[in-house]
Amino acid sequence: MKQEFSRKLNKKMLERIIIIHNAIKSGIYPNNEQLRRLYCEQTGYSTVGEATINRDIDMLRTYFRAPLEYDRGKGGYYYLDERWDFALNTLSAQEVFYLSAAKTLLSAFAGTPLYNAISDVIDFITDTQTAGKSGLLKRIAVPPTPQMKTDEPVWQEILRAMQGNRIIEFDYNGRWRTQTTRRRVHPYQFLFDDGMCFLFGYSEEREAERLFLLNRMKNLSVTDEQFQLSKNYEFSSRCGGGKFGAFMTEDAEWFSIDFYGSARQYVKDCVWADNQEIIDFENEDRTQIQFSSTQTLKVREWILSQGQNAVPRAPEWFVEDWKNQVREMAKRAGTI
């Protein structure tokens, strides 16, 4: 029964249920007509149907397990256990504050269906708790970041496929292979990274796991064919210990990188990999970090972002690749 009701739960219904609960909790033994009148007074709506209030009462009993009874003598509803309270009413001012702050921290994902859904829930909860409306929230901020662009119909179709573990098909052009091809993919996870939303899954054409940028997917369809989702489908388990975002290769590499100048403190400020080792060479004004990762492209971009203050030492092929990148930049800068 709870599952049946959960599909119908929405913001307006929660709003009514909170008003109904507060009236019952006050001990006035309200009946259906009084609850309808209270709802209109507190929300500004002109009317609400008797059947609607009855469904809300059933929701309180069935979904929220309220010890709700009707006293025929007093002509209204009451709680058998006066200590029972609606969950939203028990949130402390501090908890509401942190919920409001969470919306700010998630603002980097603004514009995505996921953010919109979470934001609506947070707005509703904090709107019902005036204690959460604090000027202190303005003291928590997220700097401007690349704005995510997500095709909502594509998102919804992939989400539907995930719920049933169904294979999807779509046209796709990659970052390096720009020719459009038709793909059949087992969708595993959504990944958010650097202003973009990716799908992580198994590509039947490549017979390997791949990442797909949602905005490049066209003509997507959900098939009736199901796939078996393995217990170990998490993208993070494919990163070889690295924490460099949405990119991976088949094999992990052991990296050794030297940092100089102001970058020495920078590299010590974060955890870049699960197994990182950091060594200071004070006499040489050098700090070395060693770690494993499958995210070679992201590691290279990370090193290049530090300019002259970061120099890779291992693996050898990676060092040569970095040198080629530096030479090409020098050519374009006209210095060689």
Side-chain angles (χ1 to χ4, degrees):
M1 183 67 72
K2 181 175 179 178
Q3 186 177 8
E4 177 185 347
F5 274 111
S6 67
R7 291 197 297 267
K8 302 176 183 177
L9 194 62
N10 56 52
K11 181 176 177 178
K12 278 191 174 181
M13 181 179 285
L14 279 172
E15 184 179 54
R16 291 195 304 270
I17 288 173
I18 289 173
I19 291 172
I20 291 170
H21 164 75
N22 288 339
I24 297 170
K25 188 76 173 173
S26 70
I28 64 174
Y29 289 82
N31 58 31
N32 191 292
E33 182 58 36
Q34 289 172 318
L35 291 172
R36 291 169 63 191
R37 187 167 59 250
L38 276 171
Y39 177 70
C40 293
E41 289 173 356
Q42 294 186 32
T43 63
Y45 290 109
S46 58
T47 184
V48 61
E50 181 178 356
T52 298
I53 297 296
N54 284 335
R55 284 195 296 270
D56 295 339
I57 293 291
D58 287 340
M59 176 70 83
L60 260 175
R61 284 196 181 107
T62 309
Y63 187 85
F64 294 102
R65 302 182 184 278
L68 184 61
E69 296 293 341
Y70 186 84
D71 188 312
R72 294 189 180 278
K74 296 183 179 179
Y77 296 100
Y78 71 101
Y79 288 133
L80 277 174
D81 185 351
E82 295 181 355
R83 296 169 299 176
W84 189 86
D85 207 345
F86 192 66
L88 292 182
N89 279 14
T90 62
L91 291 177
S92 68
Q94 186 179 43
E95 288 169 331
V96 173
F97 170 79
Y98 284 124
L99 271 175
S100 302
K103 180 180 175 181
T104 301
L105 297 175
L106 289 169
S107 62
F109 305 108
T112 66
L114 183 65
Y115 174 82
N116 294 338
I118 294 174
S119 179
D120 284 347
V121 173
I122 292 175
D123 283 346
F124 171 72
I125 294 174
T126 54
D127 282 348
T128 64
Q129 303 279 338
T130 56
K133 298 176 180 178
S134 166
L136 189 59
L137 283 173
K138 295 181 180 179
R139 310 295 287 274
I140 299 174
V142 175
T145 57
Q147 189 70 46
M148 287 201 173
K149 291 171 58 180
T150 304
D151 189 325
E152 185 160 357
V154 170
W155 165 280
Q156 295 294 348
E157 283 295 278
I158 295 174
L159 190 61
R160 181 167 70 88
M162 286 181 176
Q163 289 171 336
N165 288 333
R166 298 190 181 277
I167 297 172
I168 59 174
E169 296 181 349
F170 53 88
D171 295 329
Y172 192 76
N173 62 290
R175 180 175 176 180
W176 291 279
R177 298 178 182 178
T178 56
Q179 182 180 4
T180 301
T181 57
R182 191 70 177 168
R183 304 295 185 92
R184 277 174 57 87
V185 173
H186 306 180
Y188 290 172
Q189 287 180 308
F190 287 117
L191 302 177
F192 295 97
D193 182 44
D194 199 22
M196 292 178 282
C197 180
F198 295 89
L199 171 68
F200 173 54
Y202 178 82
S203 171
E204 291 189 355
E205 288 74 21
R206 301 291 185 262
E207 296 184 346
E209 294 169 341
R210 291 289 186 269
L211 292 168
F212 302 93
L213 185 63
L214 260 64
N215 289 344
R216 295 194 188 127
M217 294 178 172
K218 307 297 180 186
N219 303 316
L220 184 142
S221 62
V222 180
T223 73
D224 292 329
E225 302 171 69
Q226 289 187 300
F227 65 92
Q228 184 66 41
L229 183 65
S230 69
K231 294 181 179 179
N232 181 30
Y233 65 88
E234 291 276 352
F235 173 79
S236 58
S237 67
R238 312 294 198 271
C239 296
K243 302 180 182 295
F244 293 91
F247 187 85
M248 66 174 192
T249 54
E250 295 294 332
D251 301 314
E253 296 283 353
W254 183 258
F255 294 92
S256 179
I257 307 161
D258 285 339
F259 286 82
Y260 300 87
S262 60
R264 293 184 65 190
Q265 182 58 48
Y266 160 77
V267 77
K268 291 186 284 188
D269 285 338
C270 297
V271 176
W272 306 98
D274 292 332
N275 58 354
Q276 71 180 35
E277 299 177 17
I278 295 179
I279 308 168
D280 275 322
F281 297 89
E282 295 295 344
N283 295 335
E284 303 175 32
D285 186 31
R286 173 170 65 97
T287 296
Q288 186 174 92
I289 184 172
Q290 299 178 0
F291 59 88
S292 67
S293 177
T294 62
Q295 301 157 298
T296 53
L297 179 63
K298 291 286 190 176
V299 173
R300 187 181 72 185
E301 292 175 353
W302 179 55
I303 295 170
L304 290 170
S305 72
Q306 297 304 306
Q308 65 181 358
N309 284 333
V311 178
R313 301 301 182 188
E316 186 176 340
W317 71 266
F318 182 79
V319 174
E320 289 305 313
D321 178 73
W322 169 78
K323 289 179 179 178
N324 288 333
Q325 292 290 318
V326 173
R327 278 192 287 266
E328 289 300 317
M329 286 192 295
K331 287 179 183 178
R332 292 192 177 181
T335 58
I336 59 173

